[in-house]
Amino acid sequence: MIWDLFCRVIDNWGDIGLCWRLAVDLRSRGHRVRLWVDDPEVLRWMAPEALDVAPWNAQTIWPEPGDVVIEAFGCAPPEAFVAGMAVKAAPPLWINLEYLSGEPAALRNHGLRSPQRTGLHKYFFYPGWLECSGGLLRETHLESRQSHFDAHAWWASQKLTPQKGEQRVSLFCYSNPAIPSLLQALQQQATWLLVAAGHPTREVQSVLGSVTKINGLRVNYLPPLQQTDFDHLLWACDVNLVRGEDSFVRAQWAQHPFVWHIYPQSDGAHRAKLLAYHQLWTDHAGPGTHHHALSLAWNGLSDPQLPLPWPQDTLAWQQWQAETRLWGAWLRSQTDLSTRLLDFVSSHRPAVQR
């Protein structure tokens, strides 16, 4: 089938990162995907792998729509393209790929359709952790890639040198008042902090200045990494602090302890989303004593006057690692997002009506 995937690039790049992964995965399964992006330049460094990427702007000449149209995160395809969808003899299936959520409302709305003024229908597709959701994006070759990954060779390719006995921690975050508390906690044991380029680097440097070694903490600032190398970073570290949605999902496949910096919303709606995820963890992996406490503190949802509860003893780490493996095994036992998307399209396309 021919898929038209629309994405608007925002400053954190998570939306385009996820859309690129979806496009590559669908292509690997034999489909043609046209990725319409309002700022395709970002893919030159994030994901240089050849794709059918086309600029989405006022000068774009729109072709006949394909078989499936996906608007990522409610970005709304242009009116001219939607008009082409409406006059097509067999209108494409129109899907709004929503943000990841485990909240009951998202599960209720998953798969529902919304009538549009053009006479078309738009369907909501919610990624999630349960079988009744849209699943998580996981490529068919992911496990093979991980099983053949050589961390030592990858560190060498990046001209980075791990030292024996250090805990390796990656940092990818939004603006976070807990950064000083994190840096203080990481100094208490031998730690190698690998800081992503851009905002995370600015956050850490605003606290440490030009210092790259303080007590037990050693800091490396990373250059921008391509999507595949970002995966490698997560696989090579012991703990991953990630943000948004794309890196959060990738950290779950890495199967090392991780902390999610959820995108903060001014109305506080992110709290309910985070707690829904915590409940799923408790139901399927364990009590999450350390994971949940650190997650709440990192997201500013617990007492900011208290030190960041970074686990310091071996038993705490062993428990967190064991729960993380159980969580990953439970997720891998489910079908992935692309498979569920293809099943959804297969079951709904014949019924699409104008």
Side-chain angles (χ1 to χ4, degrees):
M1 291 184 290
I2 298 176
W3 299 61
D4 289 294
L5 175 52
F6 286 86
C7 178
R8 290 193 182 277
V9 177
I10 59 173
D11 57 352
N12 295 310
W13 302 319
D15 292 3
I16 185 58
L18 187 145
C19 288
W20 176 84
R21 291 187 191 275
L22 177 59
V24 170
D25 193 36
L26 289 171
R27 187 184 65 174
S28 75
R29 301 176 192 226
H31 300 271
R32 180 186 173 192
V33 184
R34 298 184 294 210
L35 180 55
W36 301 98
V37 186
D38 63 344
D39 182 13
E41 288 299 311
V42 68
L43 288 175
R44 294 188 185 278
W45 67 265
M46 281 184 68
E49 179 177 339
L51 269 179
D52 192 353
V53 178
W56 169 11
N57 55 46
Q59 289 73 47
T60 302
I61 299 174
W62 299 105
E64 179 181 74
D67 303 296
V68 184
V69 174
I70 296 181
E71 59 171 274
F73 318 114
C75 65
E79 291 187 6
F81 190 86
V82 174
M85 293 164 58
V87 300
K88 193 174 178 182
L93 183 66
W94 186 0
I95 296 173
N96 179 6
L97 180 63
E98 284 282 1
Y99 288 102
L100 170 65
S101 177
E103 295 172 275
L107 298 175
R108 289 195 302 269
N109 292 333
H110 175 64
L112 296 183
R113 68 176 185 174
S114 171
Q116 305 295 300
R117 58 182 176 80
T118 55
L120 298 167
H121 292 97
K122 183 192 302 187
Y123 291 83
F124 294 99
F125 198 91
Y126 280 85
W129 294 275
L130 295 173
E131 289 285 1
C132 57
S133 72
L136 301 178
L137 189 56
R138 184 179 80 243
E139 305 90 330
T140 55
H141 63 274
L142 180 64
E143 289 191 41
S144 175
R145 279 181 58 208
Q146 285 186 275
S147 66
H148 290 91
F149 176 64
D150 184 335
H152 295 292
W154 186 76
W155 289 125
S157 73
Q158 300 297 308
K159 298 181 173 54
L160 294 168
T161 307
Q163 295 179 7
K164 188 176 181 179
E166 285 182 324
Q167 183 181 59
R168 291 165 294 188
V169 180
S170 73
L171 175 62
F172 187 48
C173 63
Y174 302 115
S175 179
N176 195 325
I179 288 286
S181 186
L182 171 71
L183 297 175
Q184 184 64 39
L186 296 184
Q187 294 177 42
Q188 307 309 309
Q189 54 187 306
T191 304
W192 187 23
L193 181 63
L194 296 123
V195 186
H199 197 82
T201 288
R202 293 191 291 273
E203 286 276 292
V204 174
Q205 289 181 337
S206 70
V207 178
L208 296 182
S210 60
V211 175
T212 57
K213 183 74 169 71
I214 178 170
N215 298 323
L217 176 62
R218 183 167 67 102
V219 181
N220 263 104
Y221 298 104
L222 300 174
L225 296 177
Q226 296 177 12
Q227 291 285 79
T228 51
D229 272 325
F230 187 80
D231 285 345
H232 296 156
L233 173 68
L234 300 182
W235 301 349
C237 285
D238 302 307
V239 189
N240 294 302
L241 287 88
V242 289
R243 75 183 190 193
E245 182 168 329
D246 182 47
S247 64
F248 175 39
V249 171
R250 306 316 289 187
Q252 292 171 79
W253 300 138
Q255 299 194 87
H256 298 302
F258 60 87
V259 185
W260 181 25
H261 191 186
I262 190 169
Y263 187 80
Q265 295 172 271
S266 58
D267 61 358
H270 59 291
R271 181 186 179 91
K273 181 181 285 191
L274 184 67
L275 293 179
Y277 155 68
H278 282 184
Q279 185 60 56
L280 288 170
W281 179 287
T282 300
D283 293 342
H284 298 280
T289 305
H290 312 290
H291 177 71
H292 297 352
L294 185 54
S295 175
L296 290 171
W298 186 238
N299 283 282
L301 299 174
S302 59
D303 189 344
Q305 302 302 316
L306 296 176
L308 196 73
W310 190 266
Q312 299 291 345
D313 63 272
T314 302
L315 186 60
W317 282 110
Q318 289 175 341
Q319 180 184 347
W320 192 5
Q321 289 164 345
E323 289 187 9
T324 303
R325 287 192 291 269
L326 284 173
W327 178 255
W330 174 62
L331 294 178
R332 286 174 186 262
S333 70
Q334 303 178 32
T335 53
D336 61 277
L337 185 146
S338 292
T339 297
R340 296 187 195 185
L341 192 56
L342 288 166
D343 289 344
F344 185 84
V345 170
S346 177
S347 64
H348 284 74
R349 275 197 73 226
V352 172
Q353 298 291 331
R354 285 194 289 126

